Amino acid sequence: MRLSRYFPILDWGRHYTGSTLTSDLVAAIIVTIMLIPQSLAYAMLAGLPPVVGLYASILPLIAYALFGTSRTLAVGPVAVVSLMTAAAAGTVAAAGSADYIAAALILATLSGLILLVMGLMRLGFLANLLSHPVVSGFITASGIIIATSQLKHILGIEASGHAMPELLSGLWANIADINGPTLAIGVASLLFLFWVRKGLKPLLIRIGLAPRPADLLAKAGPVFAVVATIVAVILLGLEERGVSTVGVIPSGLPPIGAPLFDAELWLELAIPALLISIIGFVESVSIAQTLAAKRRQRIAPDQELVGLGAANIAAGFSGGYPVTGGFARSVVNFDAGAETPAAGAFTAVGIAVAALMLTPLLQTLPVATLAATIIVAVLSLVDLRTPLVTWRYSKADFAAMAITIAGTLLLGVETGVIAGVALSLALFLWRSSRPHAAVIGRVPNTEHFRNVERHTVIILPHVLMIRVDESLTYLNARWLEEYVLEQVADHPELKHLVLMCSAVNEIDASALESLEAINHRLADANVEFHLSEVKGPVMDRLQASHFLDTLTGDIFLSQNRAFAELAKRTGSADIRKPELDPYGPRGLI
């Protein structure tokens, strides 16, 4: 087995050139400038000291560079995972306490171990348990909660909670205590950052800057806000007027050491760590695949699990908290020309330099500025259009999305995502237990077969042809029996029944028993039971059973062959007119 499969650096490292180094260094400088205020802000969102955000942006990036497969994914603290960390750690300790920090380290380590095990066992498919409506709904609701939770810092008041009712009641109870200077800094930062996202790039282009550097400068907008508000606090003496600042940030590299081992605490945090792992992986791999496709590259999802697992374990052993791939940073890294994961390692070096030398300059940074940075970043995650689109397309998927959004907003992030996953699985099981099936006939002058209720088709009076559009499993085995026998009861003249299996990819043991039962029931009614278009792997399974020995009819290679053969046996054919518009609201079947 090739080592490069588990150490992708051995693959891209062989082709590393001076030109690639230059591209990666330029991207790293730009991402470092962007990541410093983000890491401080997201650590604050997670209820941790700001320096923890810097720690989470050093060794995890190096670990991902060694094991990750995406050339441009920028790993580090992100808003949604920070919120989930705060919700999980807040159940075992008070925010900011030593026990709370220990819980964050445990969450990072547990998440890393879960991801690593999933990667080594090739369990990346488990992330599919989170359907797109659930993920979209969760991210939207999380964005709303995050933005609301930061309003207390914009207003300069106290409020707490991890769900909307608690947050809103806390804000309302303390609304009279708004701090004027804090509000001024917060609102000014918000307005500036919102303008930067849309207005700075066109302005820079108008004054002669090229589009690409103009775009990169616009994405570095939070740095300008940080510098400006630090200067304002110092010159105007705003700390004495009640403006909260981040305070003293310890200088130095991350502390290296194993997280606290308390078996009871680790068990208590296991489920939150699992949710953080899956949410983080889904978010990260989606970003990585999108960016890889733009350069016609590919990523290996199972190895991505290993890379993210290594990054989180590194965070747990270096004073950080759970990390994953960030959308905004990854896009900036991509646009800045990063060519390999080495750009992430160079970014880690830049953050380490900042932790060593720049932290004294940040101690007068207003908390309101960091809150504004978070609000502007997360509001881009809020997508209120998708629920409307989903409602029009699928009421069931909309229900899963709505439950996720409502559960997250009202009960918290863990409850919301669990409710969404549970409902998605329930809907999947319900759909699988009641697959679509249709009585079919041949479209005139073709070899195609379509639903008799939607198309003008040729049917044989003594032959019933049924198409089942789902694999046959224990979930729908009983339903299949009932459906076939109901159709037989409605066609007393029936002599042959053909089950078209073109959409059947599997027949499990329970479904096999149902097919045997159908065969016997039809035999008792003097009706021959036939199969058509059985796929090779399914046929292999049937040949390993006794079903074919007792089958009263034949197995036809194609549905058209079945039609032609049975037409010879039974004689005449009729034209059946459709009862529904084939292009109507239920779609073409």
Side-chain angles (χ1 to χ4, degrees), residues 62-133:
I62 296 174
Y64 181 81
L66 293 173
F67 297 99
T69 61
S70 172
R71 301 294 181 97
T72 53
L73 187 71
V75 171
V78 300
V80 172
V81 170
S82 297
L83 177 65
M84 297 180 73
T85 299
T91 62
V92 298
S97 66
D99 289 340
Y100 187 95
I101 297 173
L105 295 176
I106 292 171
L107 282 170
T109 306
L110 270 173
S111 296
L113 291 172
I114 291 170
L115 290 165
L116 187 61
V117 170
M118 288 175 64
L120 294 176
M121 297 182 66
R122 300 187 174 220
L123 298 179
F125 68 90
L126 290 178
N128 295 330
L129 293 176
L130 289 176
S131 66
H132 176 72

Side-chain angles (χ1 to χ4, degrees), residues 179-192:
N179 180 270
T182 299
L183 179 62
I185 287 177
V187 171
S189 297
L190 278 173
L191 293 175
F192 172 75

Side-chain angles (χ1 to χ4, degrees), residues 439-471:
V439 175
I440 57 175
R442 191 175 73 181
V443 178
N445 302 316
T446 74
E447 295 183 0
H448 300 292
F449 290 78
R450 293 292 185 269
N451 191 335
V452 299
E453 295 183 358
R454 295 182 177 274
H455 297 266
T456 297
V457 294
I458 302 172
I459 61 172
L460 302 174
H462 301 292
V463 178
L464 185 67
M465 296 178 288
I466 296 175
R467 186 191 70 223
V468 179
D469 299 327
E470 183 69 72
S471 291

Side-chain angles (χ1 to χ4, degrees), residues 478-511:
R478 180 64 60 183
W479 172 89
L480 178 65
E481 284 188 57
E482 295 175 356
Y483 179 80
V484 169
L485 295 177
E486 284 177 5
Q487 292 295 328
V488 172
D490 291 339
H491 296 78
E493 77 288 356
L494 193 65
K495 295 181 181 178
H496 300 273
L497 187 144
V498 182
L499 186 65
M500 183 178 177
C501 301
S502 56
V504 176
N505 297 316
E506 180 185 5
I507 298 177
D508 71 5
S510 298

Side-chain angles (χ1 to χ4, degrees), residues 43-318:
M44 182 182 73
L45 173 61
L48 296 163
V51 72
V52 174
L54 295 178
Y55 294 162
S57 304
I58 300 177
L59 287 187
L61 278 68
I62 296 174
Y64 181 81
L66 293 173
F67 297 99
T69 61
S70 172
R71 301 294 181 97
T72 53
L73 187 71
V75 171
V78 300
V80 172
V81 170
S82 297
L83 177 65
M84 297 180 73
T85 299
T91 62
V92 298
S97 66
D99 289 340
Y100 187 95
I101 297 173
L105 295 176
I106 292 171
L107 282 170
T109 306
L110 270 173
S111 296
L113 291 172
I114 291 170
L115 290 165
L116 187 61
V117 170
M118 288 175 64
L120 294 176
M121 297 182 66
R122 300 187 174 220
L123 298 179
F125 68 90
L126 290 178
N128 295 330
L129 293 176
L130 289 176
S131 66
H132 176 72
V134 168
V135 174
S136 178
F138 175 74
I139 291 176
T140 291
S142 297
I144 294 172
I145 288 178
I146 291 168
T148 305
S149 72
Q150 297 307 299
L151 290 178
K152 63 183 180 183
H153 299 302
I154 299 293
L155 301 174
I157 61 177
E158 294 294 328
S160 61
H162 298 294
M164 288 298 288
E166 300 168 332
L167 290 169
L168 292 176
S169 62
L171 290 170
W172 180 255
N174 297 287
I175 198 71
D177 299 329
I178 292 176
N179 180 270
T182 299
L183 179 62
I185 287 177
V187 171
S189 297
L190 278 173
L191 293 175
F192 172 75
L193 291 173
F194 275 121
W195 173 77
V196 160
R197 293 175 72 90
K198 300 293 184 181
L200 182 57
K201 179 180 177 181
L203 176 62
L204 293 173
I205 292 175
R206 281 198 303 269
I207 63 177
L209 200 61
R212 184 178 177 187
D215 183 57
L216 296 176
L217 279 175
K219 287 182 169 65
V223 176
F224 304 140
V226 165
V227 173
T229 53
I230 287 176
V231 172
V233 167
I234 295 173
L235 295 180
L236 302 177
L238 295 181
E239 281 189 275
E240 289 75 19
R241 300 178 61 183
V243 173
S244 296
T245 60
V246 297
V248 176
I249 301 176
S251 297
L253 296 176
I256 306 298
L260 171 70
F261 183 76
D262 180 332
E264 184 176 346
L265 182 58
W266 280 57
L267 286 174
E268 189 172 354
L269 294 174
I271 297 300
L274 175 63
L275 295 177
I276 289 172
S277 301
I278 295 177
I279 290 288
F281 172 65
V282 170
E283 181 178 357
S284 180
V285 80
S286 298
I287 298 165
Q289 287 175 334
T290 299
L291 296 179
K294 291 184 177 181
R295 292 184 179 174
R296 298 191 178 185
Q297 297 169 345
R298 61 178 297 274
I299 66 165
D302 289 326
Q303 184 60 29
E304 281 297 289
L305 284 166
V306 174
L308 292 173
N312 277 279
I313 291 173
F317 279 76
S318 62

Side-chain angles (χ1 to χ4, degrees), residues 1 13 69 78 89 101 110 122 147 212 214 216 230 249 259 325 333 349 364 430 448 475 512 515-516 541 546 575 582:
M1 186 177 295
T69 61
V78 300
I101 297 173
L110 270 173
R122 300 187 174 220
R212 184 178 177 187
L216 296 176
I230 287 176
I249 301 176
N333 198 38
V349 174
T364 54
W430 183 81
H448 300 292
L475 292 171
L512 179 63
L515 291 177
E516 292 173 342
R541 299 279 293 275
H546 299 292
I575 296 291

Side-chain angles (χ1 to χ4, degrees), residues 222-436:
V223 176
F224 304 140
V226 165
V227 173
T229 53
I230 287 176
V231 172
V233 167
I234 295 173
L235 295 180
L236 302 177
L238 295 181
E239 281 189 275
E240 289 75 19
R241 300 178 61 183
V243 173
S244 296
T245 60
V246 297
V248 176
I249 301 176
S251 297
L253 296 176
I256 306 298
L260 171 70
F261 183 76
D262 180 332
E264 184 176 346
L265 182 58
W266 280 57
L267 286 174
E268 189 172 354
L269 294 174
I271 297 300
L274 175 63
L275 295 177
I276 289 172
S277 301
I278 295 177
I279 290 288
F281 172 65
V282 170
E283 181 178 357
S284 180
V285 80
S286 298
I287 298 165
Q289 287 175 334
T290 299
L291 296 179
K294 291 184 177 181
R295 292 184 179 174
R296 298 191 178 185
Q297 297 169 345
R298 61 178 297 274
I299 66 165
D302 289 326
Q303 184 60 29
E304 281 297 289
L305 284 166
V306 174
L308 292 173
N312 277 279
I313 291 173
F317 279 76
S318 62
Y321 72 102
V323 298
T324 192
F327 177 75
R329 288 194 306 273
S330 297
V331 171
V332 170
N333 198 38
F334 180 91
D335 290 342
E339 294 189 26
T340 72
F346 297 145
T347 299
V349 174
I351 299 295
V353 171
L356 283 169
M357 303 176 60
L358 300 182
T359 52
L361 303 177
L362 298 172
Q363 65 183 23
T364 54
L365 172 61
V367 172
T369 304
L370 294 180
T373 301
I374 293 173
I375 291 173
V376 172
V378 301
L379 286 183
S380 64
L381 303 176
V382 176
D383 183 359
L384 299 179
R385 180 177 174 272
T386 296
L388 299 177
V389 174
T390 305
W391 167 263
R392 290 194 295 268
Y393 183 76
S394 169
K395 301 299 187 290
D397 286 336
F398 173 80
M401 179 180 287
I403 289 294
T404 303
I405 291 174
T408 303
L409 290 177
L410 299 177
L411 302 175
V413 291
E414 291 179 16
T415 305
V417 73
I418 289 173
V421 171
L423 183 58
S424 291
L425 290 176
L427 289 171
F428 170 76
L429 294 175
W430 183 81
R431 288 166 176 162
S432 298
S433 69
R434 300 180 61 83
H436 179 267

